[in-house]
Amino acid sequence: MFQEMKDFLVQSGVKKVIVACPNCHRIFSLYGEGLAVSTVYELMDAHPLASGKKVAGTVTVHDPCPLRFSPAVQASVRNLIVRQGLTVEEMPHHGERTVCCGEEDSLPYFRPSWPLGGRRSAKTRRQAGG
């Protein structure tokens, strides 16, 4: 199915795909030959933010597994947060060392009895302090 969509996009003259989904980024990066891929976060970070009230506080960011080796995307997310006035406090495991959230490409939605999802999600919540 992906190959059909990719072929359609290339044949239609599409050169770049902008995604929000970490798994889409991974799939287009691996198999989207002929297409450049970028995230909405990188696109937003490359432009001025709308003027508005800044906020104060400290947040943490969970880097999704599919973006574990995508430092440009990780940096863009953090830049957007900081530009809004917030401070990012890193979890012990972030970036390349991120802890899996347990969703495994949304596997629990297709196989609810999968035993690891809840434990991994709980570990991520503990690391985030929530």
Side-chain angles (χ1 to χ4, degrees), residues 58-62 78 81 87-91 127-129:
T58 301
V59 297
T60 191
V61 176
H62 170 71
R78 285 160 176 81
I81 292 168
T87 300
V88 175
E89 183 178 313
E90 296 292 0
M91 288 193 275
Q127 282 198 5

Side-chain angles (χ1 to χ4, degrees), residues 32-84:
E33 186 178 328
L35 294 168
V37 63
S38 181
T39 65
V40 296
Y41 314 108
E42 293 165 296
L43 182 65
M44 290 169 60
D45 190 32
H47 293 85
L49 295 174
S51 61
K53 184 177 178 184
K54 296 222 177 213
V55 293
T58 301
V59 297
T60 191
V61 176
H62 170 71
D63 296 309
C65 299
L67 297 176
R68 155 186 328 257
F69 300 112
S70 301
V73 179
Q74 296 165 10
S76 292
V77 169
R78 285 160 176 81
N79 288 341
L80 288 166
I81 292 168
V82 169
R83 288 168 56 193
Q84 283 299 112

Side-chain angles (χ1 to χ4, degrees), residues 2 24 98 105 119:
F2 176 80
C24 294
T98 192
D105 298 328
R119 285 185 293 187

Side-chain angles (χ1 to χ4, degrees), residues 106-128:
S106 300
L107 181 62
Y109 294 103
F110 301 104
R111 188 171 172 206
S113 63
W114 190 63
L116 297 178
R119 285 185 293 187
R120 288 185 180 165
S121 296
K123 183 175 184 177
T124 301
R125 282 192 303 277
R126 281 193 308 274
Q127 282 198 5

